[in-house]
Amino acid sequence: MNSRGSKEPRESCEMVNSGLKKSWSSVVVIFRIPYYTEWGQSLLICGSEPVLGSGNVKLGLSLIPIHQGEELIWHGKISVPIGFKCQYCYYLVDDRRNILRWEGGKKRELSIPEAIKEGKVVEIHDLWQTASETLFLKSAFQNVIFAGGQCLKPQSPFESYQKKEVGEDSIDVLFKISCPTIEDGTSVYVTGNVFQLGQWRVEDGLRLSYIGQSVWEASSVIRKIDFPIKYPFLLVYSYLNPTYKYYQKCKETGASMEIGPYREVALDMTTNTVPSYIYLSDGSFRATPWRGSGVAIPMFSVKTNDGLGVGEFLDLKLLVDWAVDSGFHLVQLLPINDTSVHGMWWDSYPYSSLSVFALHPLYLRIQALSENIPEDVKQEILMEKERLDGTDLDYEATMATKLGIAKKIFNLEKNEILNCSAFIAFLCDNEEWLKPYAAFCFLRDFFGTSDHSQWGCFAQYSKDKLEKIISNDSLHYDVICFHYYIQFHLHLQLSEAAAYASRKRVVLKGDLPIGVDGNSVDTWVYPNLFRMNTSTGAPPDYFDKNGQNWGFPTYNWEEMSKDNYAWWRARLTQMAKYFSAYRIDHILGFFRIWELPDHAATGLVGKFRPSIALSKEELEKEGIWDFDRLTRPYIRQNMLQDKFGSSWAIIASIFLNEYAKEFYEFKEDCNTEKKIIVKLGMSSEKSLWVNSESEIRRSLFDLLQNIVLIRDVEEQRKFYPRFNLEDTSSYQDLDDHSKYVLKRLYYDYYFHRQEDLWRQNALKTLPVLLSSSDMLACGEDLGLIPSCVHPVMKELGLIGLRIQRMPSEPGVEFGIPSQYNYETVCAPSCHDSSTLRAWWEEDGERRLRFFNDVLGSNEEPPPHCTPEIVHFVIQQHLQSPSMWAIFPLQDLLALKEEYTSRPAKEETINDPTNPRHYWRYRLHVPLESLLRDEDFKTTIRDLVIGSGRSYPSSEAEQQLENIGEKISTIQLNGASLV
């Protein structure tokens, strides 16, 4: 209930917006929507026309609450001219009209037909539209999984109003329902307890017409005395399509009625304003929640007989074929953008983009560049394929080989390619990013570094300089064109694979990295969008107890907001050319990012940005005043002796100064982590050390990180509590009062203080991303999760991630898939973790707990993860309520003993604890072999089908089902549905 209560005079509901002059040809529109609010909250409507605020929520139409049965109905009235059209949306606001929540999806459309007579009353019955309801309007479903519905031809809405006469004793009722999962050959009906709706007989029910955007509607004139009306919607099939196996279906008739209680519309008898028209906007067809499944594998890990040392975009066609045969609707990849920053194996890290728009040349199929490849080049390709066909990816050799051969083919046909219409169109469509990318690659190779600060006069980007670099009069124009040429063919090959996946009803899911490399095209062209003196990472979590430092500059969100995040919108638009779903890497970064100084090498001593710091005044009021003691490394002689043993005096003489008796501080040339690394590497006293260099580095880092508060470099009177400050000896040596205060402030900073700030931050940025494309968005919400994250994700229709070994519930060691929320992706592992097999072997005690608690066995678990155990875990995930169950291909291979010959540790994609990890895992089984393994595919397909998840049938199976189960228009012979 809102703060005004329901006793407000009804006359206020009759008021007309003073900004609208009443016309002689006006009609009255009444809005009604059921919604429960809390004290101080109310609903309003904001629309595109002045009568509804012209898009300004502060000027929108306030709604008044009334109780009707068990529902709280919010309603409001306006007068509009006949033929009135507008878009509108409902908002939940506080007493000052500040937005607390808004509807998901696209704006609602209101159109008053010209045939409605002056003075008539039109009543709009809406239901609050959540973001999760609009998920099935995304391209993953509309353009891929349920693409058959595209054959439907929209009819003009409101045609019925042009022909009907509505008497004083009747009401013309418009029934409208969204059916986003419908396919060709299906009709939508409404039946109910009145004659006009067939009195529960489907064959006499009201058939709805398709009006576009997955919406169906029809109207019927119903007598007032027949109200209230009870009714359900039904889908009626001309044949039984296996895609609809998740509906409650009557197989004898080919009809499926929506689940849940019957819908009802009643007249408001407490007012004299009885409508002549009622528009029922009934949301979505209520069906058993659709659930799908998929497979995840990095592009570089794919192996086929045609690939040259690495997975290639055209290999996706084979992967899609295998996915379809195995019953999967989705193939998920890691980022595929160019990462050629260093020109060495470090570039195998797929999350450090050289360009967020350019595709990686690594995934180019050389053989597809031309139909006229010379015989000697063909032989070279065959030789290189054999040489590079190793167990793991040889990143440097593969890149050098591909670019070398591609350059030969380019030189042979460059004139033909560069002048063809397709290439010219590609260059024109992509010049905003493609030309700077080509120029950057040229300058990188010319200067021998991607560090654009070392490029002399070209260190600062400008369009004038760009035009000189890419000018067709320059001596290096062929080099520039070669980069165009590579991107053109990468585009063609990925587009071909994406179109193939779509035809097969398989969703291609991409990955949106949270950061870009500091030495990238994007930081060169748009330096104002980045905080170049900082680095991003993650605080200590499941992946790394010392935190992570990714090395990316943090974003300057304030600057990005000035053009409504155009850079982000362009990224999503580009991505949507190939993908119909995507994973948002580290979605927590859109709420707040873990920011580190650029001199940090690890991820421990950082702060959240944005965050509300502890002020000097706030700390002083709490009796905290010795800021020098709390912010500088706390180093005592006994600590040095404990860490370095007999070598402590030597280490101290190299790295430290004794500024007081038995108190030490770091020397100027080694008072940061990066300085320590440099000095360690140059030290000539290594032979005198008892410990290894890596052990000494770790111990020195521990000393440097032994602080309680972090002083803000930009604002010296602000402080941040160090993560896990209670673990430090600096904290342990404080007096009890200081410990109590700092512990309380620590928990407030990390778990309470920032929640509203972070919520507002995400609500500024994430909606822009989500509205930039029709792709289905999934957020990687792992790690230290603020309490505001999951409510915001639900509000925006973002699907979360659930990894069983990293439960989001506190105090739980293993996630319980049967208890996951619907709007989630569940998986037993991911690319940042060990595989299921490797995890099983890592920890015997944990393995026993999992075997006992999750598998329900009191016996001793086997030392290796057997196919039977893998079968149980995969089945458990498939049977979960999660919308998607997506499995790393390595975990699926563990279903068959034959595919587990490789050591489990070698199947891991990434080691988050190692910033220099080589991303090089390749399948040891070519996709062609998996496609021929009918038993393996049958095992997986049976698991998918047995779980009740939707699956794509092959074309042959589809034809057989259509022939065998085809039926005529339904005939229920008067059978009752009640």
Side-chain angles (χ1 to χ4, degrees):
M1 179 64 67
N2 83 324
S3 59
R4 294 171 296 185
S6 60
K7 296 182 179 180
E8 188 167 335
R10 181 168 299 277
E11 288 74 21
S12 64
C13 175
E14 310 294 330
M15 293 180 65
V16 176
N17 189 301
S18 60
L20 179 72
K21 294 182 179 179
K22 188 162 183 175
S23 167
W24 63 271
S25 59
S26 66
V27 298
V28 176
V29 176
I30 298 175
F31 297 93
R32 293 170 57 90
I33 185 170
Y35 193 95
Y36 282 98
T37 58
E38 297 178 2
W39 185 262
Q41 298 176 345
S42 61
L43 289 191
L44 60 77
I45 300 175
C46 183
S48 56
E49 295 299 313
V51 71
L52 294 176
S54 297
N56 186 341
V57 174
K58 298 286 187 182
L59 302 178
L61 173 69
S62 294
L63 302 183
I64 308 300
I66 59 170
H67 286 282
Q68 185 170 307
E70 296 182 354
E71 290 187 314
L72 183 66
I73 307 295
W74 291 81
H75 68 124
K77 179 188 294 187
I78 57 174
S79 290
V80 299
I82 293 172
F84 176 82
K85 294 182 180 180
C86 78
Q87 295 180 326
Y88 69 98
C89 180
Y90 290 93
Y91 292 86
L92 178 69
V93 297
D94 62 18
D95 285 337
R96 296 185 178 182
R97 291 200 166 202
N98 296 312
I99 299 173
L100 303 175
R101 190 184 180 201
W102 63 88
E103 290 191 285
K106 297 180 179 180
K107 302 289 186 183
R108 297 175 183 268
E109 301 276 351
L110 174 61
S111 179
I112 303 299
E114 298 284 352
I116 292 182
K117 295 182 178 179
E118 176 190 353
K120 293 293 184 180
V121 176
V122 178
E123 198 167 271
I124 312 292
H125 290 225
D126 284 326
L127 295 176
W128 184 276
Q129 182 173 274
T130 64
S132 60
E133 289 181 86
T134 67
L135 291 177
F136 289 98
L137 298 176
K138 300 296 185 180
S139 58
F141 295 105
Q142 292 299 293
N143 299 342
V144 183
I145 296 176
F146 299 106
Q150 294 181 341
C151 300
L152 298 166
K153 295 182 179 180
Q155 301 177 20
S156 299
F158 306 110
E159 284 182 350
S160 57
Y161 291 132
Q162 310 300 325
K163 305 170 184 177
K164 294 180 182 176
E165 286 291 334
V166 182
E168 292 297 323
D169 62 342
S170 300
I171 299 175
D172 196 350
V173 181
L174 176 73
F175 297 88
K176 183 163 66 173
I177 189 76
S178 175
C179 301
T181 59
I182 205 166
E183 292 202 40
D184 196 24
T186 306
S187 302
V188 182
Y189 282 77
V190 60
T191 187
N193 64 337
V194 296
F195 172 79
Q196 292 86 347
L197 301 183
Q199 293 179 322
W200 303 114
R201 291 189 298 273
V202 176
E203 69 270 26
D204 295 329
L206 180 64
R207 181 171 180 171
L208 279 65
S209 300
Y210 181 63
I211 64 168
Q213 298 185 345
S214 300
V215 176
W216 299 67
E217 70 176 33
S219 68
S220 181
V221 177
I222 301 174
R223 298 181 304 170
K224 293 178 181 178
I225 61 173
D226 289 332
F227 284 80
I229 304 169
K230 292 185 177 182
Y231 61 97
F233 291 95
L234 301 97
L235 300 183
V236 179
Y237 311 97
S238 59
Y239 59 83
L240 292 182
N241 189 307
T243 305
Y244 291 104
K245 290 183 178 178
Y246 55 91
Y247 285 126
Q248 289 185 347
K249 181 179 297 182
C250 175
K251 289 191 176 181
E252 291 75 23
T253 64
S256 63
M257 184 173 67
E258 61 179 349
I259 61 176
Y262 291 144
R263 301 175 188 264
E264 182 174 346
V265 56
L267 300 180
D268 184 359
M269 306 309 295
T270 63
T271 175
N272 295 326
T273 308
V274 179
S276 299
Y277 302 88
I278 294 179
Y279 295 176
L280 299 176
S281 185
D282 275 324
S284 298
F285 186 89
R286 299 189 306 233
T288 303
W290 183 96
R291 297 179 304 138
S293 54
V295 60
I297 189 73
M299 190 71 257
F300 58 79
S301 297
V302 172
K303 185 176 185 179
T304 67
N305 295 333
D306 289 330
L308 200 165
V310 69
E312 298 168 348
F313 287 145
L314 290 177
D315 290 333
L316 288 173
K317 296 166 76 172
L318 282 179
L319 186 57
V320 165
D321 287 340
W322 180 84
V324 171
D325 289 352
S326 301
F328 292 138
H329 261 307
L330 181 145
V331 168
Q332 177 173 325
L333 304 175
L334 293 187
I336 54 172
N337 294 109
D338 192 355
T339 58
S340 307
V341 176
H342 305 284
M344 58 183 299
W345 65 263
W346 290 359
D347 296 338
S348 67
Y349 178 37
Y351 288 91
S352 187
S353 305
L354 176 83
S355 166
V356 299
F357 299 99
L359 299 172
H360 206 309
L362 187 70
Y363 306 127
L364 184 70
R365 174 152 296 167
I366 301 297
Q367 305 93 305
L369 289 178
S370 173
E371 296 180 353
N372 303 307
I373 298 177
E375 194 61 35
D376 61 326
V377 177
K378 290 181 179 179
Q379 289 302 314
E380 182 182 0
I381 292 173
L382 291 174
M383 290 174 58
E384 293 296 344
K385 278 174 61 178
E386 184 175 352
R387 181 176 72 90
L388 295 171
D389 190 22
T391 303
D392 294 315
L393 164 66
D394 186 336
Y395 180 89
E396 291 165 294
T398 301
M399 277 290 289
T401 298
K402 287 200 169 193
L403 291 177
I405 298 175
K407 190 65 176 288
K408 293 178 182 179
I409 300 173
F410 169 74
N411 288 334
L412 291 172
E413 61 175 25
K414 61 184 177 184
N415 292 331
E416 178 183 349
I417 289 293
L418 298 182
N419 291 300
C420 77
S421 58
F423 174 83
I424 294 171
F426 171 77
L427 181 59
C428 181
D429 291 342
N430 297 276
E431 62 181 351
E432 280 295 315
W433 66 263
L434 183 56
K435 289 181 177 180
Y437 166 77
F440 186 97
C441 291
F442 166 74
L443 292 170
R444 172 200 61 195
D445 298 340
F446 180 83
F447 287 101
T449 178
S450 290
D451 182 357
H452 38 81
S453 67
Q454 306 300 311
W455 290 354
C457 66
F458 296 108
Q460 303 298 322
Y461 171 86
S462 73
K463 288 191 175 181
D464 289 342
K465 293 175 184 177
L466 173 66
E467 291 304 321
K468 291 179 181 179
I469 297 169
I470 65 172
S471 169
N472 55 13
D473 295 329
S474 66
L475 295 175
H476 56 263
Y477 184 63
D478 275 3
V479 177
I480 296 293
C481 288
F482 178 64
H483 294 296
Y484 296 162
Y485 170 82
I486 293 295
Q487 289 300 313
F488 171 61
H489 279 284
L490 286 166
H491 164 73
L492 292 179
Q493 293 179 16
L494 182 55
S495 296
E496 180 181 336
Y500 184 84
S502 183
R503 289 197 301 272
K504 291 284 188 174
R505 306 282 180 95
V506 171
V507 172
L508 270 192
K509 181 180 178 183
D511 198 318
L512 183 75
I514 186 62
V516 302
D517 197 281
N519 296 319
S520 65
V521 183
D522 301 281
T523 58
W524 181 52
V525 177
Y526 308 107
N528 58 314
L529 302 184
F530 304 91
R531 289 169 51 82
M532 297 300 292
N533 62 338
T534 64
S535 180
T536 60
D541 59 11
Y542 175 92
F543 296 114
D544 193 337
K545 65 179 181 180
N546 294 311
Q548 299 175 59
N549 186 338
W550 302 324
F552 312 137
T554 53
Y555 293 121
N556 186 341
W557 290 109
E558 294 78 12
E559 191 68 27
M560 287 179 163
S561 68
K562 292 178 180 179
D563 59 5
N564 194 28
Y565 310 96
W567 182 77
W568 283 102
R569 289 186 284 112
R571 287 184 70 178
L572 272 296
T573 300
Q574 180 73 5
M575 201 172 182
K577 293 177 180 178
Y578 314 110
F579 299 103
S580 53
Y582 67 108
R583 167 189 177 271
I584 302 176
D585 174 43
H586 193 65
I587 197 171
L588 305 184
F590 292 92
F591 292 80
R592 83 294 185 272
I593 198 72
W594 188 245
E595 186 175 70
L596 301 152
D598 59 357
H599 56 69
T602 69
L604 184 61
V605 184
K607 69 178 190 296
F608 288 123
R609 181 179 177 86
S611 65
I612 304 170
L614 306 176
S615 68
K616 184 178 181 181
E617 293 75 15
E618 179 182 5
L619 289 164
E620 287 175 339
K621 286 180 182 179
E622 296 279 3
I624 304 297
W625 55 271
D626 193 351
F627 299 106
D628 186 59
R629 157 71 175 83
L630 298 172
T631 59
R632 71 189 300 183
Y634 181 68
I635 307 171
R636 302 292 302 273
Q637 182 173 309
N638 64 305
M639 299 177 191
L640 300 178
Q641 293 169 338
D642 290 343
K643 286 186 176 296
F644 304 110
S646 60
S647 300
W648 81 266
I650 299 174
I651 299 296
S653 67
I654 299 171
F655 295 95
L656 304 166
N657 290 321
E658 187 175 13
Y659 67 90
K661 184 174 177 56
E662 297 188 355
F663 282 86
Y664 291 81
E665 64 181 2
F666 278 95
K667 294 180 178 180
E668 180 67 26
D669 65 348
C670 56
N671 61 359
T672 70
E673 291 175 354
K674 287 185 177 179
K675 286 181 180 180
I676 288 174
I677 293 172
V678 172
K679 189 162 185 175
L680 272 172
M682 298 173 60
S683 179
S684 59
E685 292 90 349
K686 293 181 183 180
S687 61
L688 303 176
W689 300 346
V690 175
N691 299 328
S692 68
E693 182 176 332
S694 61
E695 290 173 326
I696 291 175
R697 181 175 64 249
R698 181 64 263 168
S699 294
L700 289 171
F701 281 4
D702 288 342
L703 293 173
L704 191 67
Q705 297 163 353
N706 192 25
I707 60 176
V708 177
L709 295 178
I710 301 168
R711 190 188 294 268
D712 194 308
V713 177
E714 298 172 358
E715 298 184 65
Q716 293 287 302
R717 299 178 68 84
K718 291 184 176 181
F719 302 86
Y720 307 90
R722 203 213 85 159
F723 199 89
N724 287 343
L725 59 79
E726 291 178 79
D727 295 341
T728 67
S729 58
S730 178
Y731 174 86
Q732 295 299 329
D733 283 359
L734 292 172
D735 62 272
D736 289 342
H737 171 74
S738 296
K739 286 182 182 178
Y740 169 77
V741 170
L742 290 167
K743 181 178 179 180
R744 175 168 52 80
L745 292 175
Y746 171 88
Y747 280 94
D748 179 60
Y749 176 85
Y750 280 100
F751 301 108
H752 302 291
R753 187 184 186 103
Q754 326 290 342
E755 294 296 328
D756 187 60
L757 172 66
W758 291 343
R759 176 183 179 275
Q760 294 300 326
N761 199 51
L763 289 175
K764 290 178 184 176
T765 55
L766 285 173
V768 177
L769 264 72
L770 300 177
S771 63
S772 298
S773 77
D774 284 331
M775 291 185 290
L776 179 68
C778 307
E780 185 247 316
D781 52 345
L782 303 177
L784 185 68
I785 309 296
S787 59
C788 63
V789 170
H790 289 149
V792 168
M793 290 181 67
K794 184 175 180 62
E795 184 79 13
L796 298 178
L798 273 161
I799 301 172
L801 177 61
R802 299 293 175 267
I803 305 296
Q804 189 170 26
R805 70 188 72 169
M806 300 176 238
S808 56
E809 302 83 6
V812 177
E813 184 175 16
F814 309 115
I816 305 174
S818 63
Q819 296 179 4
Y820 292 160
N821 293 329
Y822 176 65
E823 288 95 357
T824 56
V825 174
C826 70
S829 65
C830 64
H831 70 270
D832 277 326
S833 70
S834 52
T835 61
L836 183 55
R837 278 205 308 138
W839 179 80
W840 185 267
E841 298 174 7
E842 286 169 357
D843 188 327
E845 292 182 1
R846 183 183 62 195
R847 178 171 65 234
L848 176 61
R849 293 192 299 272
F850 185 85
F851 200 62
N852 295 161
D853 299 343
V854 178
L855 274 71
S857 174
N858 294 321
E859 299 178 3
E860 189 72 19
H864 300 289
C865 196
T866 65
E868 291 76 19
I869 293 170
V870 176
H871 189 283
F872 176 89
V873 173
I874 289 176
Q875 183 179 54
Q876 189 184 41
H877 283 74
L878 284 168
Q879 291 177 345
S880 76
S882 298
M883 174 185 278
W884 289 100
I886 301 176
F887 303 94
L889 186 50
Q890 305 97 298
D891 287 349
L892 295 170
L893 292 173
L895 283 167
K896 189 168 184 176
E897 194 76 43
E898 177 185 335
Y899 297 141
T900 60
S901 59
R902 188 172 183 176
K905 285 186 177 180
E906 294 182 6
E907 293 182 332
T908 299
I909 302 294
N910 178 38
D911 177 7
T913 66
N914 180 8
R916 284 288 181 256
H917 175 72
Y918 197 162
W919 296 61
R920 62 187 314 197
Y921 167 75
R922 290 188 77 197
L923 293 173
H924 61 289
V925 184
L927 287 180
E928 290 87 350
S929 296
L930 295 181
L931 272 167
R932 291 192 298 267
D933 193 335
E934 295 298 332
D935 290 340
F936 182 54
K937 292 187 295 185
T938 299
T939 297
I940 299 174
R941 188 167 61 247
D942 287 348
L943 277 167
V944 174
I945 295 173
S947 70
R949 288 186 177 267
S950 177
Y951 62 94
S953 298
S954 68
E955 294 178 7
E957 290 173 334
Q958 183 71 67
Q959 291 171 3
L960 288 173
E961 293 205 44
N962 291 350
I963 295 171
E965 299 185 14
K966 193 170 183 178
I967 60 174
S968 59
T969 305
I970 80 162
Q971 295 180 354
L972 286 182
N973 299 321
S976 176
L977 292 175
V978 294

